[in-house]
Amino acid sequence: LVFLPNILLLFLGLALLEDSGYMARAAFLTDRAMHRFGLHGKSFLPMMTGFGCTVPGILATRTLENERDRLTTMLVLPLMSCGARLPIWMLLVPAFFPPAFRAPALGAIYASGVALALLLALLLRRTILPGDDAPFVMELPPYRVPTVKSVVLKMLDRGGVYLRKAGTVILGISILLWAATSFPKPSSYAVDARLAAGETISPPDTAAARAAEDLEASLAGRAGRLLEPAFAPLGFDAKLVTAMIGAFAAKEVFVAQMGIVYAISDAGEGPGGLRTRLARDYPPLVGASLILFLLVATPCMATVAVTRRESGRWRWALLQLFGLTSLAWLVATLVFQAGRLLP
């Protein structure tokens, strides 16, 4: 809920663009450039919508008459950084970038998603989705001044969708993952044995040590350790892997999961805040690798489901699911390993 104002501002901007009549003209203006990457000018509309939410973006591909154009747009749409990822960027960018570089870093995240989407679309059209380009035919509505009522209603409607996800899907997943990170409990604590042996440990450090042992013994901690070797080339440890387990169901859950992993409810930059802890535990290179992975990796389960429904076949939804995850692993690995080679 803390991130709701940022998401409402995002939806406000999209509503202004739509109601002014500019979105249709932008599709016309970008048609030539989009064709160079194997996309149709009309693909611009669902891709712009994807910055708010990928699901309505995929539904908006119905405006494309050519099946290959529709499939290509659907498959690359999750690379548009949706509103669900905004809370993640609001957590990670301040944690790993100094104030002067935060705005450029956030812009670079969105630009990277667009660039990867265009390159992936070009690859798809030259491999598994070849075919002739469809001509651009579209009626341009007149320019108009958006009405306050229409813009506010669209903003509130889309914000309501986010709130319903936050109060149902995200809350439910967070509760399940909290249970997975909390149970089973260890039968005894190593830190208690150290205290019994006469070692002096401050109460905050004792509590942190017990929390770490709780996480290590839990189901999620065991799953994180099991998957840790697969993510070691990206610079991730078991904590980050554990938090990302929930992000495969819904991207927003990553923030809640990191809070559960660290037993912190404050996402701020205070002494005990989550951003401060992340900045302390991980170097900026790991932060950049994590941001890239979360940008490119598998979309939320709702996106996979709607891709299956709109494409009519599971193979396209599974290609999107596993293809983007594999691409995310490859890109993040290349960035992390190349960064380690720099002086």
Side-chain angles (χ1 to χ4, degrees):
L1 294 178
V2 172
F3 299 103
L4 181 61
N6 299 304
I7 290 170
L8 288 177
L9 286 173
L10 177 66
F11 289 141
L12 173 65
L14 288 173
L16 287 171
L17 287 173
E18 291 172 4
D19 286 7
S20 66
Y22 181 77
M23 289 281 261
R25 282 166 174 78
F28 174 77
L29 292 172
T30 58
D31 180 61
R32 180 177 295 181
M34 298 285 271
H35 269 90
R36 293 176 181 173
F37 294 95
L39 292 168
H40 194 275
K42 290 183 181 179
S43 298
F44 177 83
L45 299 176
M47 291 177 78
M48 275 294 293
T49 305
F51 282 113
C53 181
T54 307
V55 171
I58 291 176
L59 295 175
T61 60
R62 295 176 182 180
T63 58
L64 295 161
E65 295 84 5
N66 187 292
E67 184 181 4
R68 290 187 181 88
D69 291 333
R70 285 193 70 212
L71 288 173
T72 304
T73 306
M74 266 190 271
L75 292 175
V76 304
L77 244 168
L79 291 170
M80 303 295 105
S81 187
C82 64
R85 290 184 174 103
L86 185 58
I88 300 177
W89 310 148
M90 298 295 288
L91 170 69
L92 298 181
V93 170
F96 296 111
F97 294 93
F101 292 96
R102 289 174 184 175
L106 186 61
I109 291 171
Y110 282 85
S112 298
V114 174
L116 284 170
L118 294 176
L119 293 174
L120 183 58
L122 183 62
L123 178 64
L124 289 171
R125 290 308 299 266
R126 292 189 175 180
T127 53
I128 63 176
L129 290 170
D132 296 331
D133 294 334
F136 185 93
V137 179
M138 187 176 191
E139 181 180 353
L140 298 181
Y143 276 123
R144 59 177 68 89
V145 177
T147 63
V148 174
K149 180 180 179 181
S150 174
V151 169
V152 170
L153 285 176
K154 283 187 177 181
M155 179 183 69
L156 293 179
D157 180 61
R158 293 169 180 175
V161 172
Y162 173 78
L163 281 179
R164 285 192 291 274
K165 285 182 66 180
T168 55
V169 177
I170 298 174
L171 177 61
I173 292 172
S174 295
I175 291 172
L176 290 175
L177 293 174
W178 166 82
T181 56
S182 302
F183 302 101
K185 296 286 187 181
S187 57
S188 62
Y189 292 95
V191 67
D192 291 340
R194 290 162 57 193
L195 288 170
E199 186 175 343
T200 302
I201 305 175
S202 66
D205 290 340
T206 302
R210 287 199 185 102
E213 291 184 46
D214 282 339
L215 178 63
E216 188 174 353
S218 68
L219 290 173
R222 295 172 186 178
R225 291 196 305 276
L226 183 65
L227 295 172
E228 185 179 9
F231 289 91
L234 289 71
F236 300 168
D237 61 8
K239 286 184 178 180
L240 294 179
V241 176
T242 300
M244 285 192 299
I245 291 174
F248 277 92
K251 281 288 187 289
E252 309 96 311
V253 175
F254 178 82
V255 177
Q257 271 304 98
M258 287 306 303
I260 293 170
V261 166
Y262 276 96
I264 293 175
S265 60
D266 178 20
E269 298 179 68
L274 185 54
R275 290 174 184 154
T276 302
R277 296 288 295 274
L278 288 172
R280 185 194 68 186
D281 291 352
Y282 303 103
L285 182 59
V286 173
S289 174
L290 179 61
I291 287 171
L292 280 172
F293 186 85
L294 292 171
L295 171 67
V296 182
T298 176
C300 64
M301 293 299 102
T303 298
V304 175
V306 78
T307 298
R308 156 65 181 88
R309 190 179 70 184
E310 292 298 306
S311 66
R313 295 181 181 179
W314 270 111
R315 69 175 182 178
W316 298 116
L318 294 177
L319 175 64
Q320 183 187 69
L321 175 65
F322 294 108
L324 289 178
T325 303
S326 300
L327 178 63
W329 188 94
L330 178 62
V331 170
T333 299
L334 289 174
V335 168
F336 180 73
Q337 295 300 331
R340 292 179 65 187
L341 297 176
L342 295 176

